[in-house]
Each structure stands twice: as C-alpha cells, then as structure tokens.
Amino acid sequence: MRYHPHNRHFLFFVQPDYEEMSRRAARHLHAKVRERPDLLLCAATGGTPTRAYRLFAESWENHRREVSRLRVVKLDEWGGLPPGDAGTCEAYLREHLLGPLGVTPDRYLGFRPDAPDPAAECDAVASALDERGPVDVCVLGLGVNGHLGFNEPGPALHPHAHVAALSRESLEHPMVRHAAGAPLFGMTLGIGDILRARSVLLLVNGAHKREALRRLITGPVATEFPASLLWLHADVTCLCDADAAEGL
Ligand code: GLP
C-alpha cells in the first residue's frame, strides 16, 4: 500500500511487518551504494534500523569489494556515557554496521561519547562534514515526540552539529536503560545537515510510533515536531510497518 498524502517528494510505503520493512530498507540502501560506491551514509541508531542494517550488511557478503568505499557518519550520540558503554550509539554502530561492513576509520565520522569538550567535538564534526558531505542517504528513525537524532521539539532548531539538551522521551529511550549512568546531553547533526542530505530514508515501525506517524502525515511543518521539517525535503522515502500505519 502506498500513500501520496501531499507530494511526490515524500513517499510512504506501508509494509506488512518489521521484517518486510527492514528488507525493503536494505534493498533501498543496497541500490544506492550500487549507484554511488563512495556513498556517505548517515546512520541513526535505536531499535528501528537494526534489522535493516543486518540485512544490508548481509547483502554484500559475497561482494565485499563493492562496498569497500562506503562512508558512514553517525547521526547522534549520547554525551557523558563511558566510551565502551553498550548503550552508546558508537557501540551500536560498531556492532551493527561498521564491523559487519568493515568500515575503516578513515571512512567513518562520529561524535566521541566521552569527548572532553562536547561543543568543540560538534564543531569538529561539523567541519569534517562540510568537507566530506553532503550526506547521500540519511537513515532516520522517528522519535515518539517527533525528534530526528537529538533535534528535539522546541521553539527553534539548530542547522548544524550541536550539543543538545535531551527531552524526557530521549532520556527514557531503551538504548540507555541499562547504561552505566544517565546521559547528560546529546550530540547530534543538525536539521540543516538532514535537509541537505541528497535523500532521506525514514523508518517507522510499531504501535508506539502510530501517534508520531499520524502527526507527521497530518500535522503542520513546525519545529515543535522536528520530523515535520522533512516535508521541506525533495527526496524522502518513508517505510513503515502496518502496526505504525494502522488507522491512517
Ligand atoms: C533515539 C536516537 C535516534 C533514533 C530515535 C528513535 O533517541 N537518538 O537516533 O533514531 O531516537 O529510536 P528508536 O528507533 O529506538 O525508536
């Protein structure tokens, strides 16, 4: 099933379940890398893209050379967690994407969770992204409050990589439930970095995302719901599962 709620720049595809959504996402990413072998992939973490990353990595199992130029930038990171903590986005990406695909350090850009000066860390990521960017494909999950990365709802959004205050919803995110301590802040690419990406792949699954997906589809473009800014983007593919799309 496919929706055309407003325009042809923002395509929705509803898949029967999480597995099918992930398969389609993996195929989408695979095709993008075939088109552009040195593609710069911006990678969200969290529960949503895990299976898609696994299938994407598996899809290159017998063609590793073809993916040997892929570049990755980490969308966001918790600040204040010990570097080796399993709850960090770094640990997640190493396990699910960088390790399985053999992404070498020269092809990876990411905020260090224990950076001594987080603002300087964000500035360093911003200028590295200026040189290496723009992002070719930005994989995003949808926060239950509409956040993208740690671009949290509020009266204003920040265009570039920055230190972000975390919302209650982010502080309660399952990733950090078992972390050694509570994260103190977030570091995230900005909404401008996302909007400058050549294309966006937004993944949304589960009944707990239903209300956020409804707001995305029906709501106004407003900084109080950062994902709505994606309506300003020229090339968004949103893959969701039937649970998230129920009733829409
Ligand atoms: C988290 C992460 C984001 C992620 C989003 C959704 O806070 N910072 O990178 O995309 O929220 O997470 P999930 O996919 O687990 O719902």
Side-chain angles (χ1 to χ4, degrees):
M1 186 175 177
R2 176 171 163 169
Y3 291 94
H4 301 272
H6 295 290
N7 66 45
R8 66 195 168 83
H9 304 293
F10 198 140
L11 300 176
F12 284 89
F13 298 93
V14 182
Q15 304 299 131
D17 52 29
Y18 178 67
E19 180 66 17
E20 287 306 314
M21 181 196 79
S22 305
R23 282 185 188 283
R24 185 155 184 170
R27 283 202 304 274
H28 181 99
L29 294 176
H30 188 102
K32 292 281 187 188
V33 175
R34 279 215 183 280
E35 271 170 34
R36 189 186 279 261
D38 66 342
L39 178 128
L40 179 58
L41 176 73
C42 173
T45 57
T48 306
T50 309
R51 180 72 181 144
Y53 290 155
R54 158 76 63 102
L55 294 166
F56 173 61
E58 281 177 7
S59 74
W60 297 102
E61 238 162 48
N62 299 317
H63 317 269
R64 284 296 282 269
R65 290 236 338 248
E66 290 171 56
V67 80
S68 62
R69 291 169 61 202
L70 174 72
R71 299 172 300 146
V72 175
V73 55
K74 177 166 59 174
L75 174 66
D76 56 2
E77 184 58 273
W78 308 98
L81 294 187
D85 195 287
T88 58
C89 301
E90 188 69 21
Y92 174 101
L93 280 189
R94 291 203 177 283
E95 179 181 351
H96 298 291
L97 203 60
L98 306 175
L101 285 168
V103 177
T104 46
D106 57 310
R107 291 185 284 123
Y108 173 60
L109 174 63
F111 309 96
R112 291 167 298 165
D114 62 336
D117 180 344
E121 183 75 0
C122 290
D123 286 349
V125 167
S127 46
L129 187 58
D130 247 4
E131 272 170 35
R132 303 181 198 185
V135 166
D136 291 301
V137 180
C138 186
V139 176
L140 297 173
L142 177 63
V144 286
N145 63 353
H147 72 208
L148 296 177
F150 288 127
N151 293 280
E152 302 278 16
L157 292 170
H158 202 293
H160 309 294
H162 62 283
V163 176
L166 295 172
S167 64
R168 179 179 51 80
E169 288 83 354
S170 290
L171 287 166
E172 290 170 359
H173 193 278
M175 275 181 90
V176 286
R177 219 166 266 164
H178 304 293
L184 305 172
F185 54 87
M187 290 174 279
T188 185
L189 297 192
I191 205 75
D193 298 316
I194 293 170
L195 293 179
R196 271 190 300 279
R198 289 197 168 92
S199 69
V200 170
L201 179 62
L202 175 67
L203 304 177
V204 188
N205 73 283
H208 63 302
K209 295 288 175 75
R210 208 173 280 161
E211 176 55 18
L213 186 60
R214 189 196 63 74
R215 277 187 77 182
L216 173 63
I217 291 175
T218 60
V221 174
T223 60
E224 295 293 346
F225 195 77
S228 67
L229 275 280
L230 292 176
W231 285 108
L232 307 179
H233 196 284
D235 184 0
V236 179
T237 300
C238 176
L239 302 179
C240 40
D241 75 350
D243 272 349
E246 194 180 293
L248 292 174

